[in-house]
Amino acid sequence: MAPSRTRLLGVLILLTGLLTTAGARPATALPDDLWFDRPAGATLTVENGRFTDGLGREVVLRGYNVSGETKLAENKGLPFASVADAKKSATALRALGGGNTVRFLLSWAYAEPVRGQVDATYLAAATGQMRAFLDAGIRVYPDFHQDLYSRHLFDPDSWYTGDGAPKWAVDAGDYPDEYCGICPFWGQNITQNEAVKQASYDFWHNEHGLQEAFLTTAQKTMAYVERNLTDDQFAGVIGFDPYNEPHAGTYDSGQTSRKWEKNVLWPFYEKFRARMDAAGWQDKPAFVEPNLFWNANIDFQKQEGGLLDAGKLGPDYVFNTHFYDQKAISGIFMPGKAGDGQYATDFGTVRDRAAAGGTAGIISEFGHPLAGTVSDKAPTVLKAMYQALDSRVPGASWWSRPAQSGPVLSGSQWQWDIYNGRHRELMNGNPDKVLTSGDAWNDEDLSAVRLDDSGKAVLRQDARLLDRVYPSATAGSTVAFTYEDRSRDGSTTLTWNPVPDSLPRVKQLVGSGQYALHVWRSDGGSAPTELHLPASFPNSSTTVVSDLGTTAAPPSYTKTTPVAVANEPGGTGSRRLLLTAAGSGTHYALVTNGATAPSAELLSAARTELANWVATKVS
């Protein structure tokens, strides 16, 4: 810890009282834990620019935002109406959505409804809902969410609303009546609504002590969470996202977006980092976001940024950004649909920026509307985004240059809201504007899940797209990874990464099925490499071809079984492929559901082809 942080930490501990309670529970193992799961889950850190677990394995975080419900008033700023609903959502997220991580939204307005008074009832409810995900084997990183600064800036009859700051924070400023003019998209309020701009400016300049009040509430919130989870549960809380989609509001005279990041935003993150330390989160990184327009894909929206002047972020911080295809969402700038490699460059920029900062990267929000005039693009846009998370190489060239594939990028899709289409939200408190459809917030409709009439969680998107093979933990480092999900756009099967004709037996084995190929360099540890297995890979139709062995219908895991399957921790029925390599070296594993009872001759021939391909293209 830097000397300046040490001194500030001491001051904060002396000056700030932390909430305490006797509600912590004794530690218990998760259902389906294997011998390596508890030490692996004991911590998650940033090491050498990667997320690593307690066994030093490279970790990929995949999941969803839970949830936009927090932005609404109907459940008082909580993601769920009850812990029971949180448990239902967590089980479905793991079993149907294939997620191992959630970005868990919190509300400043409900955490501190009266200035200087943190609402322990709200914190207890939020922590209880968080616990439901941790007990399902899902890692959590909380986020104090805001959009357009605060709902309390907006009139009851406004076209738009916001979330974030409490009413007293808005009352402290003398802001003009909100007005956005001709704004077909809610995000235009960020740069066109004077009330939003001035309130944001005041926060960043600590006018009326607003920023200091927020930091104090954040510290008390983090202290409460730390004290009210068991050690095992708290280990699953992997960091904190301090502020959603930061923007200056208004720049000072002569100030640029880059200078604002350097002189205003980064000092705020350093203060937040010190608050994390004071709250007992010393070993967990801050998931820090740059100016939200730094990677906009419409030129007139783009602003220079990306924390370029923050130096080496190192293990105390994660480079955390969002990406939405504004061209596709506009309905104007991208008339067609997304295709193979559409976002390889955009996501490659995120990888490069994280690497330059000496830390791990994550895209904590990405998605596309599932209703409205541009919803027809969603199947291809989301497929292209997941493809770009998996690899920085388009499918058409992946097999010819896998060594350029790079590390798998972590990401959290927006969003996972089981109440989609079943809300009852009084927009800006107006009883004459009761919102029930979609996400019930500014006409958004992006949730991947909903409840059916029986109360069961069901997917709103193609399961082949969402429930994916990905390397959740690699005993060493990833060299190359790809997944062909064969997801659908209507009745069309999208195949962007076919097995090339130069590997005829591999191509025969895969057929028209889904497949993933993982190439990694082992570190010689005894814990296995883990790949999440979607529900579309039942054991009877799962085939693995690896230098570690070949198998159709892999056996159950034992320490001496190099290729095996097991349930993922948490008792949700989700499954994983476990690959145990003896010693160090380069390894590969192809997993596919394309063949039924393949012959030993086909498995052997496919293995020979893959071994030669690895020797030629990777080693």
Side-chain angles (χ1 to χ4, degrees):
M1 187 183 299
S4 60
R5 277 180 58 199
T6 304
R7 290 193 295 270
L8 183 54
L9 171 58
V11 172
L12 290 171
I13 290 174
L14 289 172
L15 293 181
T16 306
L18 303 180
L19 294 176
T20 61
T21 183
R25 304 186 307 170
T28 56
L30 293 179
D32 298 316
D33 266 357
L34 295 173
W35 68 269
F36 53 86
D37 286 320
R38 294 192 72 181
T43 184
L44 186 112
T45 57
V46 176
E47 183 179 354
N48 298 323
R50 307 175 300 155
F51 290 112
T52 56
D53 66 12
L55 296 171
R57 296 182 301 174
E58 178 182 270
V59 168
V60 173
L61 307 176
R62 284 289 175 87
Y64 305 84
N65 283 261
V66 177
S67 75
E69 172 70 23
T70 300
K71 302 198 285 187
L72 309 182
E74 63 181 1
N75 282 328
K76 299 181 179 179
L78 291 166
F80 302 98
S82 65
V83 170
D85 278 1
K87 290 180 178 178
K88 177 188 293 187
S89 184
T91 298
L93 188 146
R94 193 79 155 139
L96 300 178
N100 66 4
T101 305
V102 294
R103 181 173 181 246
F104 191 96
L105 274 58
L106 298 171
S107 169
W108 179 21
Y110 287 91
E112 190 186 6
V114 177
R115 184 162 193 162
Q117 299 180 25
V118 175
D119 187 341
T121 300
Y122 174 79
L123 297 188
T127 303
Q129 294 182 11
M130 201 180 298
R131 189 180 291 119
F133 286 83
L134 296 167
D135 288 348
I138 299 169
R139 292 183 171 103
V140 171
Y141 62 109
D143 155 51
F144 262 122
H145 207 79
Q146 73 80 37
D147 296 282
L148 309 184
Y149 190 70
S150 173
R151 68 179 292 154
H152 300 290
L153 281 173
F154 290 84
D155 300 326
D157 60 350
S158 176
W159 286 6
Y160 297 107
T161 189
D163 68 283
K167 185 176 185 299
W168 63 259
V170 172
D171 292 343
D174 183 20
Y175 303 123
D177 191 44
E178 59 88 12
Y179 179 68
C180 192
I182 302 175
C183 293
F185 302 103
W186 70 259
Q188 291 175 267
N189 284 270
I190 298 169
T191 55
Q192 293 179 223
N193 190 322
E194 286 300 321
V196 174
K197 291 166 63 177
Q198 291 184 30
S200 298
Y201 179 92
D202 281 357
F203 176 85
W204 294 115
H205 289 78
N206 197 31
E207 295 291 335
H208 318 293
L210 292 170
Q211 187 180 121
E212 190 64 23
F214 171 81
L215 289 168
T216 297
T217 295
Q219 181 182 340
K220 290 181 178 180
T221 298
M222 288 185 284
Y224 186 98
V225 170
E226 189 273 336
R227 291 169 181 264
N228 285 273
L229 297 175
T230 67
D231 288 346
D232 287 348
Q233 290 167 342
F234 188 56
V237 180
I238 57 175
F240 207 109
D241 184 342
Y243 199 90
N244 179 69
E245 296 182 353
H247 186 261
T250 301
Y251 293 118
D252 289 320
S253 178
Q255 190 178 56
T256 64
S257 56
R258 179 170 178 172
K259 289 180 179 178
W260 177 79
E261 279 194 352
K262 178 182 179 180
N263 298 322
V264 178
L265 181 61
W266 186 250
F268 166 76
Y269 286 147
E270 291 182 312
K271 294 174 186 176
F272 196 96
R273 172 71 263 176
R275 298 293 185 139
M276 292 178 70
D277 295 342
W281 292 51
Q282 298 95 327
D283 298 326
K284 302 179 187 294
F287 285 62
V288 293
E289 301 184 34
N291 171 8
L292 83 154
F293 293 121
W294 82 280
N295 61 342
N297 72 339
I298 296 179
D299 289 342
F300 63 79
Q301 287 187 332
K302 195 176 184 71
Q303 298 179 10
E304 186 180 23
L307 304 179
L308 295 169
D309 300 301
K312 291 291 183 181
L313 304 183
D316 287 335
Y317 301 94
V318 168
F319 186 75
N320 168 24
T321 189
H322 297 172
F323 184 84
Y324 293 92
D325 187 344
Q326 295 298 337
K327 291 182 180 179
I329 291 173
S330 73
I332 299 171
F333 299 108
M334 192 188 99
K337 298 185 178 183
D340 177 28
Q342 182 100 4
Y343 307 114
T345 298
D346 294 301
F347 284 30
T349 299
V350 176
R351 286 178 164 90
D352 292 341
R353 187 67 208 104
T359 189
I362 187 169
I363 299 182
S364 62
E365 283 190 28
F366 63 94
H368 190 82
L370 300 182
T373 58
V374 298
S375 60
D376 65 309
K377 302 178 191 295
T380 57
V381 167
L382 267 295
K383 179 180 173 75
M385 288 181 176
Y386 275 111
Q387 180 195 50
L389 289 174
D390 289 344
S391 171
R392 64 189 304 157
V393 178
S397 55
W398 190 89
W399 284 93
S400 61
R401 48 191 185 103
Q404 298 177 34
S405 184
V408 180
L409 190 57
S410 294
S412 303
Q413 182 177 331
W414 185 273
Q415 68 162 325
W416 190 270
D417 174 17
I418 61 172
Y419 306 118
N420 176 271
R422 296 177 178 271
H423 293 282
R424 185 171 174 79
E425 172 71 3
L426 277 62
M427 186 173 179
N428 297 318
N430 188 341
D432 295 325
K433 294 185 73 172
V434 181
L435 306 181
T436 59
S437 62
D439 299 338
W441 195 85
N442 286 344
D443 293 326
E444 288 198 339
D445 191 350
L446 287 90
S447 177
V449 71
R450 64 176 178 87
L451 297 178
D452 67 14
D453 290 341
S454 70
K456 179 182 177 182
V458 294
L459 295 179
R460 300 179 65 228
Q461 295 176 272
D462 189 346
R464 289 161 290 213
L465 171 70
L466 298 181
D467 191 11
R468 310 176 62 80
V469 178
Y470 61 92
S472 53
T474 298
S477 58
T478 296
V479 176
F481 176 78
T482 191
Y483 180 52
E484 179 48 76
D485 56 45
R486 313 274 193 186
S487 57
R488 272 48 163 191
D489 178 12
S491 60
T492 301
T493 299
L494 301 173
T495 302
W496 292 351
N497 191 0
V499 178
D501 292 338
S502 57
L503 299 169
R505 306 312 297 276
V506 175
K507 187 171 185 175
Q508 178 184 350
L509 183 69
V510 168
S512 61
Q514 299 167 299
Y515 80 87
L517 180 55
H518 187 41
V519 183
W520 75 102
R521 291 193 174 94
S522 174
D523 61 5
S526 58
T529 288
E530 301 185 37
L531 274 66
H532 170 72
L533 283 178
S536 59
F537 281 71
N539 212 53
S540 59
S541 60
T542 297
T543 299
V544 181
V545 176
S546 171
D547 65 292
L548 305 176
T550 63
T551 179
S556 297
Y557 173 78
T558 71
K559 285 187 177 182
T560 59
T561 308
V563 179
V565 294
N567 286 340
E568 290 174 319
T572 62
S574 56
R575 297 167 59 251
R576 50 185 163 167
L577 176 67
L578 300 175
L579 304 164
T580 304
S584 58
T586 300
H587 304 281
Y588 64 87
L590 171 81
V591 54
T592 181
N593 58 9
T596 301
S599 67
E601 185 275 330
L602 177 58
L603 293 176
S604 176
R607 183 179 186 183
T608 298
E609 286 183 351
L610 285 172
N612 292 335
W613 174 81
V614 168
T616 302
K617 300 293 186 180
V618 177
S619 300

